[in-house]
RNA sequence: GCUCCCAUCGUCUAGAGGCCUAGGACACCAGAUUUUCAUUCUGGCGACACGAGUUCGAAUCUCGUUGGGAGUACCA
């Protein structure tokens, strides 16, 4: 039997580091056994999937060197490899109908409102939250008539009500056992006629000759449904293997709030794909001789699925960084040169538009952009005190602004771009300069300090060390939040 | 709430009943090299979650407790 494994990401958002992780495991397993590694795009959620995102997956996998033998943009004998194309071919509908005709699935006419109130009631009673199977016994002829009359419906699987589901995962000591009655009558075909993940994945894995499904443990709970589907569709089920989920430092499932998860991000930051891959390879798996640095090819030779850990490893950026350094310093002079060049170019391209209007010579860029490259800036105390202000007043303005920026960054969904920053600063000005009806003369005087004229110049000098610069907010964005905060602090020290 | 999964240094891991006073890597600390920094080298700190049981012997097997995670969608 030829090993055939797949990864089946959904093209929503940026390509995910978890996809790379599971991809690596599958790739290594396939290569180790002389099998095939396949990419399938699961875009059955019409509301969330985009073609750009699918393209980004192809690009990222190629960047990593996880080249698939079969897939949407490389073809293969089991295509199409994009589920939306397979929907159009009527593949899933056919199998859903088969189950209905066998009496293993049924039409359900519940509205989302109905389902919501069902859930609310169950939650209130501390009952398991699941579909109450109210349409399970629906008369087939009646159901078909209603459907034919245009009433929206879904197709649900008729899971057993008695007995137990038992499955032994090769990575787990004990078999998984679960009472069938706790397993939901899962929707297989949505009211838009498209399949859910469960139907689509099982059907495609069968049709594509997949022998082993190596996936993250978030799928473990739906395993009974998948095995059941295989059985009732008359398929020989692939072997399912569930590996641990990548985690944040707090052990929760890795998320972009707490970790960079976008493969595009790693690429743009200059991470070497070899380093990222090697780092990923060390999570949940290890070289039998304890070697920690190895190439993808080497990994494919020693990889052993039975040695994979099931506990979810914490994704530790610090160790990745170390690995990156190891690989980077070993780069050939040509490649190192190229990598450095890439970084310089990137920064340069971002910066150039800001200076476009204020240059007469190419050389102007060199001195004007200096604060954007420098680690720190030197402030002249005189420049930090706008005309008509006292030193202490300058300092107060800086302190308040720095605090406001810090608060903003600490909040959720803080975006560091020009509109947000401008909104933040303008709001600050507005709030502070607002005339209070019962303000004392001192308070009113304080409020007057908060003018754009005063604050903008002050910030410009604090952030760049110079009195002239590109537009303030563009400047702050490009210099970056960490340095902006640091320089605001340095300026305050200068005013002591 | 309900169901399932998991449990060795802060983190990634080695460890399949005696080779374990638990090994390696990252991080951290100290020292050496380096004009400085980085690199490199040396040393140090540091864990079998807890409690029973099985056994001559348990990190390794069993049970319980605790802790953590995931799932609970007409998302994947």
């Amino acid at each position: 039997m030829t090993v055939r494994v797949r990864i089946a990401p959904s093209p929503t958002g940026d390509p995910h580091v978890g996809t790379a992780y599971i991809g690596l495991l599958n790739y290594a397993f396939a290569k180790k056994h002389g099998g095939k590694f396949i990419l399938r795009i699961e875009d059955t959620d019409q509301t969330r999937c985009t073609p750009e995102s699918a393209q980004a997956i192809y690009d990222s996998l190629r960047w990593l060197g996880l080249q698939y033998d079969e897939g949407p943009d490389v073809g293969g004998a089991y295509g199409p490899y994009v589920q939306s194309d397979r929907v159009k071919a009527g593949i899933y509908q056919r199998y859903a109908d088969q189950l209905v005709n066998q009496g293993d699935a049924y039409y359900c006419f519940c509205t989302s409102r109905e389902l919501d109130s069902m859930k609310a009631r169950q939650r209130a009673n501390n009952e398991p939250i699941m579909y109450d199977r109210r349409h399970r016994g629906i008369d087939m002829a009646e159901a078909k008539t209603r459907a034919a009359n245009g009433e929206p419906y879904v197709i649900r699987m008729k899971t057993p009500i008695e007995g137990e589901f038992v499955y032994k995962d090769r990575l787990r000591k004990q078999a998984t056992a679960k009472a069938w009655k706790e397993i939901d009558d899962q929707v297989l075909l949505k009211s838009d006629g498209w399949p859910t993940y469960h139907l689509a994945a099982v059907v495609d894995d069968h049709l594509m000759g997949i022998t082993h499904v190596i996936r993250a443990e978030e799928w473990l709970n739906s395993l009974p449904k998948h095995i059941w589907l295989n059985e009732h569709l008359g398929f020989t089920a692939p072997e399912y293997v569930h590996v641990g989920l990548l985690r944040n430092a707090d052990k929760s499932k890795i998320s972009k709030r707490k970790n960079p998860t976008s493969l595009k991000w790693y690429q743009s930051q200059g991470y070497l794909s070899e380093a990222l891959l090697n780092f990923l390879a060390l999570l949940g798996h290890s070289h039998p001789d304890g070697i920690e640095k190895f190439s993808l090819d080497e990994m494919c030779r020693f990889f052993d699925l039975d040695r994979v850990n099931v506990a979810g490893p914490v994704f530790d950026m610090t160790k990745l960084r170390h690995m990156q350094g190891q690989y980077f310093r070993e780069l050939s002079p040509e490649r190192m040169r190229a990598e450095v060049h890439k970084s310089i170019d990137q920064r340069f391209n971002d910066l150039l538009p800001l200076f476009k209007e204020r240059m007469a010579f190419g050389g102007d860029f060199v001195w004007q952009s200096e604060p954007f490259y420098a680690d720190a800036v030197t402030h002249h105390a005189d420049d930090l005190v706008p005309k008509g202000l006292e030193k202490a007043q300058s300092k107060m303005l800086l302190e308040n602004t720095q605090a406001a920026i810090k608060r903003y960054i600490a909040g959720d969904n803080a975006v560091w771009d020009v509109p947000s920053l401008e909104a933040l600063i303008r709001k600050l000005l507005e709030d502070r300069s607002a005339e209070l009806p019962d303000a004392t003369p001192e308070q009113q005087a304080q409020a007057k300090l908060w003018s754009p004229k005063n604050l903008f110049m002050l910030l410009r000098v604090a952030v760049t060390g110079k009195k002239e610069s590109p537009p303030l907010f563009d400047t702050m964005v490009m210099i970056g939040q960490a340095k902006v905060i640091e320089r605001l602090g340095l300026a305050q020290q200068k005013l002591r």
Side-chain angles (χ1 to χ4, degrees):
Chain A
M1 179 182 69
T2 315
V3 165
R4 289 175 60 82
V5 294
R6 49 69 167 183
I7 49 169
S10 260
T12 58
D14 282 350
H16 201 273
V17 69
T19 303
Y21 178 60
I22 299 295
L24 172 64
L25 262 25
N26 277 281
Y27 180 92
F29 182 71
K31 298 301 156 189
K32 164 80 185 227
H33 295 97
K36 298 287 185 210
F37 172 60
I38 294 143
L39 172 68
R40 181 173 71 228
I41 295 294
E42 308 223 321
D43 58 346
T44 53
D45 184 347
Q46 297 181 80
T47 60
R48 293 167 65 228
C49 298
T50 65
E52 299 76 50
S53 184
Q55 184 60 48
I57 291 173
Y58 313 150
D59 294 343
S60 287
L61 289 174
R62 229 160 251 136
W63 169 62
L64 285 168
L66 297 177
Q67 183 58 56
Y68 33 95
D69 302 299
E70 298 170 27
D73 58 341
V74 301
Y78 297 80
Y81 292 90
V82 178
Q83 286 184 332
S84 54
D85 291 336
R86 302 173 71 79
V87 170
K88 284 163 200 151
I91 293 173
Y92 311 109
Q93 179 76 51
R94 200 149 58 233
Y95 287 99
D97 289 344
Q98 181 191 330
L99 289 171
V100 171
N101 294 336
Q102 284 170 193
D104 288 325
Y106 58 94
Y107 288 54
C108 165
F109 295 90
C110 285
T111 60
S112 53
R113 194 202 210 104
E114 233 176 315
L115 294 173
D116 285 346
S117 70
M118 190 187 300
K119 262 179 246 170
R121 198 174 47 245
Q122 289 162 339
R123 214 183 302 274
N125 297 338
N126 278 347
E127 288 164 19
I129 294 160
M130 60 192 288
Y131 178 62
D132 66 5
R133 304 186 165 117
R134 61 179 63 169
H135 284 98
R136 196 178 233 254
I138 196 167
D139 177 67
M140 215 42 226
E142 182 205 327
K144 292 219 160 140
T145 316
R146 284 170 72 176
N149 288 339
E151 197 175 332
Y153 69 96
V154 299
I155 293 180
R156 287 183 182 273
M157 57 189 269
K158 202 182 272 182
T159 49
I161 298 180
E162 309 222 308
E164 222 180 25
F165 166 85
V166 181
Y167 186 85
K168 174 77 176 72
D169 188 308
R170 78 204 284 173
L171 297 180
R172 279 154 236 271
K173 294 183 261 222
Q174 294 214 315
T176 296
K178 209 162 162 153
W180 274 113
K181 67 172 181 336
E182 276 153 6
I183 293 160
D184 219 342
D185 279 7
Q186 181 66 47
V187 171
L188 298 175
L189 215 63
K190 304 182 249 187
S191 55
D192 61 4
W194 286 51
T196 57
Y197 167 84
H198 305 280
L199 210 222
V202 167
V203 166
D204 285 345
D205 286 338
H206 169 71
L207 260 21
M208 294 183 179
I210 300 303
T211 56
H212 304 259
V213 173
I214 303 166
R215 46 148 59 156
E217 74 183 328
E218 56 188 328
W219 296 111
L220 193 54
N221 286 292
S222 37
L223 180 62
K225 295 170 189 171
H226 300 163
I227 299 275
W228 184 93
L229 280 170
N230 272 289
E231 280 173 3
H232 290 257
L233 254 9
F235 304 159
T236 305
E239 179 178 350
Y240 289 94
V241 183
H242 298 90
V243 304
L245 223 37
L246 258 27
R247 310 285 180 95
N248 297 312
D250 65 4
K251 306 271 186 172
S252 57
K253 171 167 143 182
I254 195 165
S255 65
K256 65 178 167 194
R257 279 263 69 90
K258 297 171 182 173
N259 258 310
T261 57
S262 163
L263 293 171
K264 271 155 82 178
W265 183 86
Y266 289 96
Q267 190 174 6
S268 72
Q269 291 299 303
Y271 280 89
L272 266 8
S273 60
E274 299 93 321
L276 181 56
L277 233 32
N278 196 155
F279 167 72
L280 252 19
L282 259 19
L283 301 180
H285 191 257
S286 59
H287 189 287
D289 299 328
I291 293 168
E292 300 225 343
K293 191 159 173 293
F294 44 77
S295 68
L296 179 57
D297 284 349
E298 285 169 283
M299 178 180 180
C300 291
R301 256 171 269 139
F302 71 76
F303 181 77
D304 181 356
L305 187 55
D306 292 310
R307 280 174 58 88
V308 174
N309 250 167
V310 284
V314 171
F315 190 92
D316 180 8
M317 288 295 287
T318 313
K319 187 152 184 175
L320 205 209
R321 203 195 154 69
H322 173 260
M323 197 107 245
Q324 162 74 11
Q326 301 271 311
Y327 276 88
F328 191 85
R329 280 175 234 115
E330 273 178 12
L331 251 28
S332 68
E334 298 77 47
R335 244 197 105 186
M336 190 177 286
R337 200 187 154 84
E339 285 298 325
V340 173
H341 230 107
K342 221 194 292 175
S343 300
I344 293 174
D345 277 355
Q346 207 173 329
R347 182 69 171 158
F348 178 70
N349 288 335
D350 289 344
L351 248 27
L352 194 58
L354 299 195
F355 295 94
K356 220 172 150 184
E357 287 157 341
R358 57 203 83 231
M359 291 189 295
F361 297 94
D364 289 344
F365 179 85
V366 177
W367 64 268
Q368 287 182 11
S369 65
E370 197 261 328
F372 291 79
Y373 285 100
D375 193 39
V377 295
T378 316
H379 299 107
H380 297 286
D382 292 349
D383 295 343
L384 284 167
V385 185
K387 216 181 285 173
L389 292 196
E390 301 287 325
K391 234 174 150 181
Q393 295 174 317
S394 264
K395 187 156 177 276
M396 185 276 292
L397 288 171
L398 286 173
E399 256 169 22
N400 275 267
T401 309
Q402 188 192 30
I405 294 176
K406 276 187 180 165
R407 269 200 307 278
Y408 172 70
I409 292 171
D412 279 352
N413 308 317
V415 183
W416 189 253
D417 63 8
V418 173
S420 327
L421 204 53
E422 177 154 11
L424 174 75
I425 301 293
R426 293 218 182 264
K427 174 122 194 337
L428 183 68
L429 282 176
E430 219 171 279
D431 292 352
R432 293 297 151 86
S433 59
E435 298 266 347
L436 303 161
D438 54 350
T440 63
E442 291 82 45
Q443 285 171 324
Q444 286 179 13
Q446 283 288 81
K448 290 236 166 54
L449 290 176
W450 289 91
S451 69
K453 194 179 168 208
N454 284 344
L455 189 62
F456 284 23
M457 176 50 74
L458 191 50
L459 290 179
R460 185 185 308 285
V461 174
V463 168
T464 65
K466 296 170 186 260
K467 287 205 269 193
E468 57 285 318
S469 84
L472 179 60
F473 301 115
D474 294 271
T475 298
M476 290 170 76
V477 166
M478 288 309 301
I479 284 179
Q481 34 184 260
K483 277 189 184 168
V484 164
I485 289 172
E486 187 192 329
R487 290 177 188 184
L488 288 175
L490 287 172
Q492 289 167 49
Q493 281 176 25
K494 199 79 179 187
L495 286 170
R496 267 215 296 253

